[in-house]
Structure formats: structure tokens, C-alpha cells
Amino acid sequence: MLTRKQQELLLFIHERMKETGIPPSFDEMKDALDLASKSGIHRLITALEERGFIRRLPNRARALEVIKLPEAYSPSLRAPRGFSPSVIEGSLGKERPAPERPPSPASESSVAVPVMGRIAAGVPISAIQNNTHDISVPAEMLGGGEHYALEVRGDSMIEAGILDGDTVIIRNAGTANPGDIVVALVDDEEATLKRFRRKGASIALEAANSAYETRIFGPDRVKIQGKLVGLIRRYH
């Protein structure tokens, strides 16, 4: 699963290469996505590379290899069958094989929940990736609705009992009540795990660690992607 901005950038790179064979500059990418700075493009490129959609070729300026396109992003723009990786200023590369999903031994009292990537409990990072594998979760932990899991990175929620390396179980939801711990998508680019609060007309994303400041956003900048319903921790 890609964010809207990640998908827009991937398609822009792919279409520009098909049309001209010339790679778009970071300035062109920034203008095409209507971003304020090139730092946002750097984050999107890194996120696409981590998710296996593109590869940066070493020792070549602005050389990018398009590994794959999303399976479904728009009926009119769906990649044709037999889509081959496209290369900007580089040789044609081999498509990376899809990761094998480890077996999930789900019993009648458990449910297989997809792990969708990593979520930051600290400074927001890109998250919500493609389903990499499933985990078996006790059915009584879930209740109704659709669920997914995320691996936690960071320490900003430690006072809520959420530690770096934990796996959180999230129920899909587009709204939240004050005090809920939520997956919040900021500016359609970055996702973070925080406690949801309201400050007048604004939204506050509150850490559970005194070392972190509460971040305040306008309501149009934050989208709720789900609410925390459970946590899984492994001891080594």
C-alpha cells in the first residue's frame, strides 16, 4: 500500500521515462507533486526504494530503476500484463522477487492479520507498506472490523507501554475520540503512532514520553488511519 504522494511520484517518474527517456530532476518532481521543498522528494524516493518499487543505481546521477508499479492504482493507468522494469539512465534491471510469506499457523481461535510495515513512535516516518507477511492474533483481541499490524520503531510511546520492536494491532478507522492511540497520516506522506487530542480547531498528536513535544496540525493535514486495539511483544 502506497500513500497518495508516493504513488503520484512513482507514476510521474515512470511516465516521464516512457515519454522522453530523460529522468525528471528533483525540481521537476517537486513541482509535479506541488511540494514546498525537495526534502519531501528525498523522503518519497527513499520510501519507494524501501518498498521495492524503485532502485537507485550507484555512481550515476539521478539514475533510477522502476522495479514495479502498484497492482491497482487507477483502472485507466493499470500496468499492462508482462510489465517490465524501466530504467532511467541505467541498464535494464531484474525485477526483485516478491518476499515469501512465512506460514501463519492460525487456529479456530486465532485470525491471520497482515503486517503492513513499520510505524514510527517518535519522529514521523513513512509507513504503511505492502503486506509483507501475516501474523496469528487471538480472535478475542480483535472484535469487529478490518485489522492490520505494524512494527513499532522509536520510543515516544513508552509511557503507554509501547516499546521499540513491538507489533501493534490496528483496527481500520477514519475517526477517533480524544485520548485514543491512533495511526495518523500527516500531509499524506508520513505516518506516526500517537495519542489523538483536539486543541480547538486543530489536532494534537501527543507522545507518551516527556522527551517528545506534542505536535499540532491543522485538521486538513491529518488523516486517521486506524486505532490501536492490541499489542504483541516477543521476548528474546
Side-chain angles (χ1 to χ4, degrees), residues 1-2 6 10 41-56 64-65 67-68 96-97 99 116-120 124-132 153 189-191:
M1 184 186 302
L2 296 179
Q6 290 165 3
L10 178 63
I41 295 298
H42 282 283
R43 289 197 301 270
L44 293 172
I45 289 289
T46 298
L48 289 171
E49 185 175 29
E50 289 176 348
R51 289 154 176 75
F53 285 90
I54 65 173
R55 180 186 297 134
R56 281 183 276 204
L64 300 173
E65 178 182 4
I67 303 297
K68 62 181 179 180
R96 292 177 180 175
M116 302 302 291
R118 296 176 179 175
I119 186 74
I125 59 172
S126 297
I128 319 299
Q129 303 178 11
N130 289 332
N131 177 201
T132 57
R153 292 293 178 267
E189 291 183 29
E190 297 174 318

Side-chain angles (χ1 to χ4, degrees), residues 5 15 29 44-45 50-51 60 62 77 80 82 89 91 93 95 123 137 147 155 174 181-182 193 213 222 225 230-231:
K5 288 293 187 183
E15 293 300 324
M29 296 181 199
L44 293 172
I45 289 289
E50 289 176 348
R51 289 154 176 75
R60 299 183 187 183
R62 285 165 41 188
L77 295 177
E89 290 190 356
S91 59
E95 183 173 353
V123 179
V137 177
H147 297 78
D155 63 355
I181 295 177
V182 303
L193 186 72
E213 295 182 354
V222 176
Q225 302 285 285
L231 180 146

Side-chain angles (χ1 to χ4, degrees), residues 53-55 57 63-67 85-88 92-94:
F53 285 90
I54 65 173
R55 180 186 297 134
L57 302 179
L64 300 173
E65 178 182 4
V66 179
I67 303 297
S86 302
V87 179
I88 299 173
L92 189 65
K94 295 181 180 180

Side-chain angles (χ1 to χ4, degrees), residues 1-230:
M1 184 186 302
L2 296 179
T3 67
R4 181 174 58 84
K5 288 293 187 183
Q6 290 165 3
Q7 181 169 294
E8 287 177 358
L9 180 59
L10 178 63
L11 296 182
F12 175 69
I13 294 171
H14 176 63
E15 293 300 324
R16 174 61 67 89
M17 183 277 303
K18 284 204 311 182
E19 292 173 3
T20 69
I22 301 173
S25 67
F26 273 43
D27 282 319
E28 290 172 324
M29 296 181 199
K30 175 176 70 70
D31 293 341
L33 271 67
D34 195 26
L35 295 180
S37 69
K38 288 187 285 188
S39 63
I41 295 298
H42 282 283
R43 289 197 301 270
L44 293 172
I45 289 289
T46 298
L48 289 171
E49 185 175 29
E50 289 176 348
R51 289 154 176 75
F53 285 90
I54 65 173
R55 180 186 297 134
R56 281 183 276 204
L57 302 179
N59 304 321
R60 299 183 187 183
R62 285 165 41 188
L64 300 173
E65 178 182 4
V66 179
I67 303 297
K68 62 181 179 180
L69 295 177
E71 291 184 2
Y73 47 88
S74 171
S76 62
L77 295 177
R78 184 182 297 274
R81 284 197 165 199
F83 167 73
S84 298
S86 302
V87 179
I88 299 173
E89 290 190 356
S91 59
L92 189 65
K94 295 181 180 180
E95 183 173 353
R96 292 177 180 175
E100 294 185 4
R101 295 186 183 182
S104 301
S107 67
E108 291 182 0
S109 61
S110 64
V111 177
V113 172
V115 178
M116 302 302 291
R118 296 176 179 175
I119 186 74
V123 179
I125 59 172
S126 297
I128 319 299
Q129 303 178 11
N130 289 332
N131 177 201
T132 57
H133 63 283
D134 295 343
I135 58 173
S136 183
V137 177
E140 58 268 22
M141 181 185 293
L142 301 180
E146 297 181 353
H147 297 78
Y148 59 92
L150 293 167
E151 298 171 356
V152 175
R153 292 293 178 267
D155 63 355
S156 76
M157 298 302 290
I158 57 175
E159 292 171 14
I162 302 171
L163 309 182
D164 182 62
D166 286 348
T167 298
V168 289
I169 309 301
I170 306 297
R171 178 182 295 123
N172 257 333
T175 60
N177 297 317
D180 288 341
I181 295 177
V182 303
V183 174
L185 187 66
V186 179
D187 295 333
D188 287 325
E189 291 183 29
E190 297 174 318
T192 188
L193 186 72
K194 291 292 181 292
R195 196 175 296 280
F196 176 83
R197 303 287 189 190
R198 290 197 178 274
K199 298 288 185 181
S202 299
I203 290 175
L205 299 180
E206 180 182 278
N209 183 334
S210 57
Y212 291 82
E213 295 182 354
T214 297
R215 306 182 73 207
I216 309 295
F217 300 94
D220 58 332
R221 296 183 60 192
V222 176
K223 294 178 181 176
I224 304 302
Q225 302 285 285
K227 297 195 292 185
L228 176 73
V229 298

